[in-house]
Amino acid sequence: MASSLESQETEHGMFYLEMRTSDWKHNHTWGNSHKPGEFYGLDPNLASTDGPARFELRRQAGTLAFDGTFHAGKGSGAFRFTSSPEFVQAMKGLGYSNLSIDQLLAFATQDVTPQFVKDLNDLGYRTVSAEQLLALRIHGASPDFIRDIGAQLPSKPSLDDLVAMRIHGVSPAFVAEMKSLLGKNFDVDQYVAFRIHGVSPEFVREVREHVSKDVTADHLVAMRIHGADPEFVKGIDAQLGRKLSVDELVAFRIHGVSPDFVGQMHQLVAKDLSADDLVAFRIHGVSPEFVKEMKNEGGTAKYQPISSSLCASTE
């Protein structure tokens, strides 16, 4: 099996280490950021000087020995992995038999330890696959995170839930604040949806202030998806002189009813246009330009509330 490495210094004094392995069947590439202190024999000055480098990353699963050169803060070369018999035996006792060299190498790079497995067992996760162990470590689902987030949720999260929350930034503090603001707890999928669509505690506070204190989780997500942000809400409120419901605001965004559009239609058609009227105008292509064109041609725009009928014609 051939192996190679590339490394470079990143911001905040971290080193990004990328490793590649290959044989006649497979090619693998993966990388991680590390603190310089994690490596034995690595000269921190190599970030600004050139020269050969030999250093090691020692983990319970085994040792990775690196041999290469640095130039202008970037290094390249080869590495050799030596697995630990003690680690193999300890993991076998925990139910992980016949680990491949690729799995042991991955465990070493992600620092999967027997204690990590025991901690998961203590937290109630007793049948964790090797792939799940790696996913938890890659995304930073530590025992402390699992314990703290579990205390905030209405039910025990699955391993996939834990990974999803770490990927999307669902922290214990985020869950606690959203629960406090909205007065209820949610399942993992809802908290993940909040993070995916940018429903932050700050956004919730602004919506409760400018739209409604009874806003729901679905309303919040819909507003973010369609761009009904507080700035848009303020602009619409200023034009209409009243507050709209979340459904009306979302409909405005979907159909392109902007504060500027509302202002022009008030001047050109009527001051007492309803939300349904304005949406209907956009759906049917009744634009300010269309109304102006009619008037320039000597026509009259006939308007009746949408509850009965809506039309524009020339006479």
Side-chain angles (χ1 to χ4, degrees), residues 86-157:
E86 293 80 7
F87 176 85
V88 171
Q89 198 61 32
M91 292 298 286
K92 185 176 181 180
L94 292 169
Y96 298 87
S97 301
N98 302 317
L99 291 171
S100 69
I101 190 65
D102 285 338
Q103 288 175 314
L104 290 168
L105 174 58
F107 280 2
T109 59
Q110 300 303 329
D111 201 18
V112 174
T113 66
Q115 186 59 52
F116 179 62
V117 177
K118 293 175 184 177
D119 289 341
L120 291 175
N121 288 342
D122 292 343
L123 290 166
Y125 299 94
R126 304 184 186 281
T127 55
V128 186
S129 70
E131 289 72 21
Q132 289 172 321
L133 288 174
L134 288 169
L136 292 169
R137 292 296 288 170
I138 288 169
H139 297 292
S142 66
D144 285 343
F145 170 79
I146 296 170
R147 191 178 298 108
D148 292 345
I149 201 73
Q152 294 290 344
L153 296 170
S155 59
K156 176 184 171 182

Side-chain angles (χ1 to χ4, degrees), residues 63-80:
T63 299
L64 292 93
F66 303 95
D67 189 352
T69 58
F70 271 82
H71 176 67
K74 295 184 179 181
S76 62
F79 73 90
R80 182 180 68 259

Side-chain angles (χ1 to χ4, degrees), residues 2-315:
S3 59
S4 62
L5 72 100
E6 290 186 2
S7 62
Q8 67 182 83
E9 187 181 31
T10 62
E11 295 183 0
H12 310 299
M14 300 289 284
F15 276 87
Y16 181 74
L17 182 71
E18 182 178 283
M19 294 178 288
R20 293 186 293 273
T21 62
S22 62
D23 55 31
W24 69 281
K25 287 184 178 180
H26 304 288
N27 293 291
H28 298 285
T29 301
W30 67 99
N32 284 304
S33 292
H34 298 270
K35 297 178 181 178
E38 294 182 60
F39 300 101
Y40 291 82
L42 176 64
D43 182 357
N45 293 324
L46 286 171
S48 56
T49 60
D50 299 344
R54 289 184 178 180
F55 54 95
E56 294 181 346
L57 180 62
R58 300 175 183 176
R59 294 283 172 75
Q60 291 189 32
T63 299
L64 292 93
F66 303 95
D67 189 352
T69 58
F70 271 82
H71 176 67
K74 295 184 179 181
S76 62
F79 73 90
R80 182 180 68 259
F81 173 65
T82 304
S83 63
S84 165
E86 293 80 7
F87 176 85
V88 171
Q89 198 61 32
M91 292 298 286
K92 185 176 181 180
L94 292 169
Y96 298 87
S97 301
N98 302 317
L99 291 171
S100 69
I101 190 65
D102 285 338
Q103 288 175 314
L104 290 168
L105 174 58
F107 280 2
T109 59
Q110 300 303 329
D111 201 18
V112 174
T113 66
Q115 186 59 52
F116 179 62
V117 177
K118 293 175 184 177
D119 289 341
L120 291 175
N121 288 342
D122 292 343
L123 290 166
Y125 299 94
R126 304 184 186 281
T127 55
V128 186
S129 70
E131 289 72 21
Q132 289 172 321
L133 288 174
L134 288 169
L136 292 169
R137 292 296 288 170
I138 288 169
H139 297 292
S142 66
D144 285 343
F145 170 79
I146 296 170
R147 191 178 298 108
D148 292 345
I149 201 73
Q152 294 290 344
L153 296 170
S155 59
K156 176 184 171 182
S158 69
L159 294 170
D160 288 343
D161 287 338
L162 293 168
V163 171
M165 286 188 287
R166 288 297 297 174
I167 289 173
H168 297 290
V170 178
S171 67
F174 175 79
V175 172
E177 193 165 9
M178 294 299 281
K179 282 165 50 178
S180 175
L181 285 170
L182 296 173
K184 62 177 292 188
N185 211 336
F186 300 94
D187 60 24
V188 171
D189 288 344
Q190 186 64 71
Y191 286 117
V192 169
F194 284 157
R195 293 295 292 175
I196 288 173
H197 298 292
V199 179
S200 65
E202 293 75 20
F203 180 76
V204 174
R205 281 190 280 268
E206 289 181 323
V207 171
R208 285 169 59 85
E209 178 182 354
H210 297 291
V211 182
S212 170
K213 293 191 179 298
D214 299 322
V215 66
T216 68
D218 288 343
H219 283 156
L220 290 164
V221 171
M223 290 181 72
R224 291 298 287 173
I225 288 173
H226 297 291
D229 57 35
E231 197 64 31
F232 172 79
V233 173
K234 292 175 188 176
I236 290 295
D237 287 351
Q239 289 291 346
L240 294 177
R242 65 183 188 276
K243 290 184 180 293
L244 295 183
S245 69
V246 173
D247 289 339
E248 288 172 326
L249 290 166
V250 169
F252 273 24
R253 289 297 294 168
I254 290 172
H255 297 291
V257 179
S258 66
D260 181 64
F261 176 82
V262 174
Q264 290 190 67
M265 296 307 280
H266 277 171
Q267 292 179 357
L268 294 167
V269 181
K271 289 288 187 181
D272 59 345
L273 297 172
S274 70
D276 286 342
D277 292 333
L278 291 161
V279 170
F281 285 157
R282 294 295 290 171
I283 290 173
H284 297 290
V286 181
S287 65
E289 292 73 23
F290 173 73
V291 177
K292 291 175 184 176
E293 183 180 343
M294 288 175 53
K295 290 187 174 183
N296 288 337
E297 291 177 357
T300 302
K302 287 185 175 181
Y303 160 73
Q304 290 180 310
I306 194 66
S307 56
S308 56
S309 64
L310 178 68
C311 65
S313 63
T314 59
E315 290 184 347

